[in-house]
Amino acid sequence: MDEFDKVEKLKQRANVSYEAARDALRACDGDLLDAMVYLEKQGKVAPPEQATFSTDAADKTSYENVPKVVEDHRQTEDPSFGDQLGTVLKVAFRKSIENYLVVSHRGKEVFRLPILIFILILLFGNILLLLAMGIALFFDVRYSFDGKDNMSAINSMMDKAGNKAAEWMDEAKAEAAKEEREKKKEREKKKERETNRENDREFDRESDNKNDKDKK
């Protein structure tokens, strides 16, 4: 409850002016109960009357007793765990249907689906989907979030993950290309050695034939 709401509540409970209620709350650090006592000590509000058995409506005070104020204050300032959990679930549900997971490939959007559907797929589908999504990062697939809420922080993290995957893929391609070049050089050397050996054998055959002719 903000200061304005507290002042209005105290103003109604104590039947004092807005300024008096505001000053009392500020003097008591915003505590409604202390502010009521503070006004009572200043004589600006009558203390709560003792319970009577009068049936005359005129005898009833318009000023509700302190326990009621305390209870109202507690309910307003200290919501129960159930209320807090309910609020969190409502907010989470709203965000899950108002925001989307966007899947794109090489800068072109492929499809999008509500975050709620994505979560349900993960819960009731195959958890290997996460592994597949991670592998897809190495093939220019990118993920982002779009919707009513500001997703810039998480999208920045997704971009970094995609950039890191692209960096690793480039390194892997470079390493593969290097190995292929080395293998090609080795094949060329091997072929050259075989050619040289074949030339040597051909030279030896020609030499043997020449020697045989000379002997004849």
Side-chain angles (χ1 to χ4, degrees):
M1 182 187 300
D2 58 24
E3 182 182 16
F4 178 78
D5 291 333
K6 288 182 179 181
V7 172
E8 285 296 322
K9 183 178 287 292
L10 182 60
K11 176 177 174 289
Q12 294 174 5
R13 299 295 189 208
N15 194 23
V16 295
S17 66
Y18 181 89
E19 290 76 11
R22 181 195 60 196
D23 295 341
L25 276 170
R26 291 180 177 177
C28 299
D29 296 326
D31 189 281
L32 281 172
L33 177 58
D34 290 344
M36 290 287 290
V37 176
Y38 177 84
L39 290 172
E40 181 182 323
K41 289 180 177 180
Q42 286 192 334
K44 294 183 179 180
V45 62
E49 297 179 0
Q50 297 297 324
T52 65
F53 296 97
S54 172
T55 58
D56 188 356
D59 292 337
K60 294 182 180 180
T61 178
S62 61
Y63 168 54
E64 295 184 15
N65 56 29
V66 171
K68 178 65 168 61
V69 176
V70 174
E71 181 63 21
D72 290 344
H73 180 66
R74 182 182 297 111
Q75 292 178 354
T76 304
E77 295 296 327
D78 300 318
S80 66
F81 174 77
D83 292 337
Q84 292 177 336
L85 180 60
T87 301
V88 171
L89 292 177
K90 288 179 182 178
V91 172
F93 178 76
R94 178 183 61 78
K95 289 181 179 294
S96 68
I97 61 177
E98 291 180 348
N99 298 285
Y100 300 84
L101 171 69
V102 180
V103 180
S104 58
H105 181 251
R106 294 180 178 176
K108 183 178 180 180
E109 181 177 326
V110 179
F111 66 89
R112 61 173 55 202
L113 71 163
I115 295 177
L116 177 63
I117 303 300
F118 174 65
I119 294 174
L120 292 177
I121 292 175
L122 290 180
L123 291 177
F124 300 102
N126 196 330
I127 197 65
L128 291 178
L129 174 63
L130 286 177
L131 179 60
M133 291 177 65
I135 295 175
L137 288 172
F138 294 92
F139 299 93
D140 298 326
V141 175
R142 296 293 179 266
Y143 309 102
S144 60
F145 293 94
D146 186 29
K148 290 187 176 181
D149 294 308
N150 185 356
M151 298 287 189
S152 58
I154 189 171
N155 283 339
S156 177
M157 294 175 59
M158 300 294 283
D159 289 341
K160 289 180 180 179
N163 293 337
K164 180 57 68 174
E167 180 182 336
W168 289 344
M169 178 60 75
D170 291 341
E171 291 177 358
K173 289 180 179 179
E175 186 65 23
K178 180 180 178 181
E179 292 180 0
E180 182 60 30
R181 288 193 299 269
E182 292 177 351
K183 289 179 180 179
K184 183 178 180 180
K185 288 181 180 179
E186 186 62 29
R187 288 194 298 268
E188 291 175 350
K189 289 180 180 180
K190 183 178 180 180
K191 184 177 181 180
E192 183 179 356
R193 287 195 297 268
E194 291 176 352
T195 300
N196 291 336
R197 284 195 294 268
E198 183 64 28
N199 291 336
D200 291 341
R201 285 194 292 269
E202 182 67 25
F203 179 78
D204 292 340
R205 284 194 297 269
E206 291 178 355
S207 296
D208 291 341
N209 291 335
K210 183 178 180 180
N211 292 333
D212 291 341
K213 290 180 179 179
D214 290 342
K215 289 179 181 179
K216 294 178 179 179

